[in-house]
Amino acid sequence: MSAQDTERRPRVPGPRTRTPRKTARTPRRSTALSTRARTRLAAGALLTPFFALFTVAMIVPVGYALWLSLFTEKQSGLGFDGPRTVFDGLGNYATALGDQAFRDGFWVLLGYCVFYIPLMGGGAIVLALLLDSALARARRFFQLALFLPHAIPGLIAALIWIYLYTPQLSPVVAAMEAGGIGFDFFSSKGTLPSIVNIALWQWLGYNVVIFYAALQAVDRSLLEAATVDGAGAWRIAFSIKLPLIRSSLVMVLLFTIIGSLQLFTEPLILSRGSGSAVTSTWTPNMYAYSAAFERNDYGLAAAASVLIALVAAALSFVVTRLTNRRKEARS
């Protein structure tokens, strides 16, 4: 067979071999993985300072307080060798719970919360609704005026109000006596209202700003639709605005409860006043302070602090659970 016959002969196609296709998923997948890695690296770099500060400022002190609460100082045999630090287990906790002064401090906090929380929450909500209403004028001025007391440190605020409570110095007491109103702010009956007044003066504006910012985020179309339907100002406030800022209400309630359990500065300053009914163990925090810096019993002070923290955590958990149950029931 010649070469020409070979060239003219038709070619029979053979079996095709599939070459692997290079899909576009491989580079996309690698790009996605690299993007995720970069995102995680950036998130880790941004969160590392926070967790480092949280560990140093929160976890380490709490852990040290727990460790310190398990030890106490006892005198050796005849007392010639000085005090020795010995392991006491839960002895400090039993001592704190068995002390009537420590238990009475929680009753004082209960009375404080009964007065303070409704006045704080209700007053802040009312003022925030007034600022958010269409009739409000000079909102920036009133926001600044209400927030300014919060910018003053609690120690300075307590000193200012002690001056205003002192009969020989205060123009307020002089005006009340001139009007025939006699009230002793340092008496056993007047101490609690005096401290509630100081706390309200300092923290009311702060909560007003939180509520007002939440009210400003409410969709105005909902309010306009309610107005068109004939809803009045009260109906809009309590049926539309307040339900929409429920998360802010719960947050402020939690912060107020935790802050109430930490009551310390105001009664401590009032206890320095002449004729004051506030003792060195009037609140649980003052009890822990007195145990640490007046009796040098650091184990008892640490145990009392841990018990206060447990009570605050339990109350926060209860408030959160009740709020979530109400939300689930309404949904």
Side-chain angles (χ1 to χ4, degrees):
M1 185 169 49
S2 62
Q4 293 180 356
D5 295 336
T6 306
E7 292 178 358
R8 293 174 183 175
R9 191 174 182 179
R11 296 180 179 178
V12 179
R16 296 181 180 179
T17 57
R18 295 182 179 180
T19 58
R21 295 182 180 179
K22 293 183 179 180
T23 59
R25 294 182 180 179
T26 304
R28 288 181 182 177
R29 187 175 300 174
S30 61
T31 304
L33 291 176
S34 61
T35 303
R36 290 179 183 177
R38 287 196 298 267
T39 303
R40 292 175 181 175
L41 183 61
L46 293 174
L47 292 175
T48 297
F50 165 77
F51 282 111
L53 183 62
F54 181 77
T55 302
V56 173
M58 188 68 183
I59 295 182
V60 172
V62 171
Y64 181 67
L66 289 171
W67 174 260
L68 195 63
S69 65
L70 301 177
F71 295 88
T72 187
E73 291 187 355
K74 292 184 178 180
Q75 296 286 343
S76 60
L78 299 176
F80 296 110
D81 296 335
R84 295 182 297 108
T85 302
V86 297
F87 181 78
D88 196 25
L90 300 179
N92 289 318
Y93 294 94
T95 302
L97 292 175
D99 196 339
Q100 185 67 32
F102 183 70
R103 298 198 304 269
D104 289 342
F106 285 99
W107 289 109
V108 171
L109 288 182
L110 179 61
Y112 174 80
C113 292
V114 168
F115 284 100
Y116 175 66
I117 293 178
L119 291 174
M120 171 63 72
I125 290 172
V126 170
L127 290 174
L129 289 173
L130 289 175
L131 288 176
D132 188 62
S133 65
L135 301 177
R137 296 291 183 271
R139 298 178 184 178
R140 297 283 181 85
F141 170 76
F142 286 108
Q143 288 181 51
L144 181 62
L146 289 169
F147 188 78
L148 273 179
H150 178 69
I152 299 176
L155 178 62
I156 305 300
L159 290 174
I160 293 173
W161 279 103
I162 284 181
Y163 166 75
L164 295 176
Y165 289 156
T166 304
Q168 293 79 13
L169 302 175
S170 172
V172 176
V173 176
M176 291 174 61
E177 292 177 350
I181 302 175
F183 187 80
D184 187 1
F185 292 97
F186 298 105
S187 64
S188 58
K189 295 182 178 180
T191 299
L192 190 60
S194 302
I195 294 175
V196 170
N197 177 60
I198 297 174
L200 283 174
W201 181 79
Q202 186 178 10
W203 290 96
L204 184 65
Y206 177 81
N207 293 325
V208 168
V209 172
I210 294 177
F211 289 148
Y212 179 72
L215 289 171
Q216 289 292 297
V218 173
D219 190 358
R220 295 296 154 177
S221 62
L222 297 176
L223 307 181
E224 294 174 358
T227 304
V228 171
D229 290 340
W234 290 98
R235 182 73 174 177
I236 293 174
F238 290 96
S239 298
I240 298 178
K241 290 184 177 181
L242 292 184
L244 290 176
I245 64 169
R246 186 181 295 110
S247 59
S248 298
L249 296 175
V250 174
M251 181 188 69
V252 169
L253 178 61
L254 287 175
F255 287 170
T256 304
I257 291 175
I258 295 173
S260 299
L261 292 176
Q262 296 175 355
L263 182 64
F264 175 74
T265 304
E266 294 85 358
L268 180 66
I269 299 301
L270 258 67
S271 65
R272 303 294 189 261
S274 60
S276 176
V278 179
T279 62
S280 60
T281 58
W282 198 66
T283 65
N285 271 337
M286 294 180 66
Y287 179 90
Y289 178 84
S290 175
F293 300 105
E294 293 180 4
R295 291 176 281 172
N296 295 325
D297 194 345
Y298 298 104
L300 179 61
S305 302
V306 171
L307 291 173
I308 296 170
L310 291 176
V311 172
L315 288 177
S316 301
F317 176 77
V318 170
V319 172
T320 305
R321 291 288 296 176
L322 291 176
T323 305
N324 292 335
R325 286 183 180 179
R326 289 182 179 180
K327 188 183 298 184
E328 292 174 358
R330 291 181 180 180
S331 60

